[in-house]
């Protein structure tokens, strides 16, 4: 963890009932996979959610109705940020492995796709954010490559019991134009740098450097309520809209 606190937006990705056996203890609750993001303005382009297959997650009571699935570490932090039914004390209703989350159907705010699925990503860190990441392959090189891996490697899908229909057809949803990179900046930069997989760390770091700042300074929204406006102008507006409608909360660590 850095010296400065990092503020994330937690996107509430709602698990669509009926719940599978491993979530039966949560019946009757509103259950969300809580994904930590620095780019709330990209939520229009969500195509899926990422979990770490070997990751340990828990279902924690946030208030009387809502349950968040995330790491115990982040649940403890949330409990000190007024996001726990009992202040400063996380209550875990069920322990769940990442493998048990794969294939869950989710409804996520702003996403054009009505239903998106939780899928495996090998590079998720359990000591950052919530251990849950939302996937925007148009604008995130990590997300693009992790999805590309699942799409191009049937054996990888087989290993994690990922059904073909959860990843195919592979459709990137264009949401932001960057003059230098077009409407699918992450895809373009991954192809230009000839990145082989989600594990190609150095090249992915370079791809992120190339796209991250440019998306903010030079990006224009090409979809949604703020279509035609600059990313840097609408980022706080979209963030506040999500917070006000209750589909996201702030989280610092
Ligand atoms: B970002 P920082 Cl479109 N492990 O959200 C790995 N990655 C994680 C994570 C974890 N435990 N928790 C969050 N992240 C990702 C959107 C996005 C993101 C776009 C473009 C770039 C981007 C959609 N995925 O991040 O190390 C989340 O992905 C580029 C850095 O705290 C989160 O924002 O700076 C970002 O990394 C937080 O990374």
């Amino acid at each position: 963890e850095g010296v400065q606190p990092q503020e994330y937006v937690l996107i509430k990705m709602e698990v669509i009932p009926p719940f599978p056996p491993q979530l039966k203890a949560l019946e009757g609750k509103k259950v969300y996979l809580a994904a930590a993001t620095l780019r709330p303005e990209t939520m229009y382009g969500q195509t899926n959610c990422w979990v770490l297959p070997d990751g340990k997650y828990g279902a924690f009571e946030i208030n009387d109705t809502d349950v968040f699935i995330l790491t115990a570490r982040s649940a403890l932090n949330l409990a000190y940020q007024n996001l726990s039914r009992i202040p400063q004390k996380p209550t875990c209703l069920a322990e769940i492995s990442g493998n048990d989350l794969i294939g869950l159907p989710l409804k996520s705010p702003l996403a054009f796709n009505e239903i998106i699925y939780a899928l495996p990503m090998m590079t998720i860190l359990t000591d950052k954010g919530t251990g849950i990441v939302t996937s925007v392959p148009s604008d995130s090189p990590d997300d693009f490559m992790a999805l590309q891996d699942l799409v191009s490697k049937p054996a990888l899908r087989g290993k994690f019991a990922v059904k073909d229909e959860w990843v195919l057809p592979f459709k990137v949803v264009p949401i932001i134009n960057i003059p230098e990179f077009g409407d699918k900046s992450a895809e373009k930069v991954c192809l230009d740098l000839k990145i082989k997989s989600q594990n190609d760390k150095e090249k992915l770091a370079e791809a992120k450097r190339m796209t991250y700042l440019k998306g903010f300074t030079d990006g224009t929204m090409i979809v949604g309520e703020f279509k035609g406006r600059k990313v840097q102008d609408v980022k706080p507006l979209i963030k506040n809209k999500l917070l006000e409608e209750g589909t996201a909360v702030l989280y610092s660590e």
Side-chain angles (χ1 to χ4, degrees):
E1 286 176 25
V3 183
Q4 295 291 325
Q6 175 74 271
E7 187 190 76
Y8 295 96
V9 176
L10 298 194
I11 303 297
K12 293 166 67 174
M13 309 179 82
E14 187 179 352
V15 181
I16 302 172
F19 297 156
Q22 63 272 24
L23 298 188
K24 276 291 180 256
L26 310 176
E27 205 87 66
K29 307 266 182 192
K30 287 245 178 221
V31 180
Y32 304 88
L33 269 59
T37 183
L38 298 174
R39 305 272 326 255
E41 75 281 8
T42 66
M43 296 302 103
Y44 298 102
Q46 296 173 87
T47 59
N48 61 283
C49 175
W50 296 122
V51 299
L52 182 68
D54 290 337
K56 289 191 181 119
Y57 299 91
F60 293 90
E61 287 186 310
I62 299 303
N63 52 43
D64 289 334
T65 53
D66 292 2
V67 170
F68 282 8
I69 295 178
L70 31 61
T71 56
R73 177 193 154 278
S74 57
L76 183 58
N77 289 334
L78 283 172
Y80 282 88
Q81 297 173 34
N82 275 324
L83 288 163
S84 177
R85 187 174 62 79
I86 304 172
Q88 303 181 9
K89 190 180 174 299
T91 306
C92 183
L93 298 179
E95 292 182 351
I96 306 161
S97 80
N99 275 308
D100 286 338
L101 298 173
I102 293 171
L104 281 183
L106 308 167
K107 181 174 155 47
S108 199
L110 300 183
F112 288 117
N113 290 347
E114 292 260 335
I115 297 178
I116 59 183
Y117 294 92
L119 299 173
M121 179 189 243
M122 298 342 127
T123 58
I124 289 186
L125 305 167
T126 49
D127 59 356
K128 177 197 284 200
T130 57
I132 305 281
V133 179
T134 190
S135 171
V136 183
S138 56
D139 289 80
S140 161
D142 286 326
D143 298 346
F144 179 80
M145 288 313 305
L147 202 47
Q148 173 85 312
D149 283 348
L150 283 173
V151 166
S152 63
K153 296 168 185 165
L156 187 65
R157 296 202 295 278
K159 180 174 176 191
F160 295 106
V162 170
K163 291 188 183 159
D164 289 4
E165 64 260 34
W166 298 342
V167 288
L168 301 170
F170 181 20
K171 272 224 195 99
V172 174
V173 180
I175 52 166
I176 288 169
N177 176 268
I178 305 177
E180 197 176 326
F181 300 126
D183 292 352
K184 300 177 190 172
S185 58
E187 176 178 276
K188 174 163 172 41
V189 170
C190 287
L191 295 175
D192 285 356
L193 295 179
K194 300 192 167 61
I195 301 180
K196 295 275 181 327
S197 83
Q198 64 189 292
N199 300 311
D200 204 340
K201 280 213 169 80
E202 278 170 31
K203 283 187 178 179
L204 275 168
E206 172 66 7
K208 278 185 270 184
R209 269 196 297 280
M210 289 169 71
T211 52
Y212 191 56
L213 193 61
K214 283 264 160 63
F216 183 70
T217 57
D218 301 354
T220 301
M221 302 301 301
I222 56 171
V223 296
E225 186 183 345
F226 304 103
K227 186 174 167 174
R229 297 181 61 185
K230 302 282 276 180
V231 167
Q232 49 184 311
D233 296 334
V234 303
K235 185 182 181 109
L237 304 180
I238 295 172
K239 172 176 155 183
N240 286 337
K241 180 184 148 99
L242 292 169
L243 296 174
E244 276 164 24
E245 71 182 22
T247 52
V249 297
L250 293 179
Y251 166 66
S252 297
E253 65 180 28

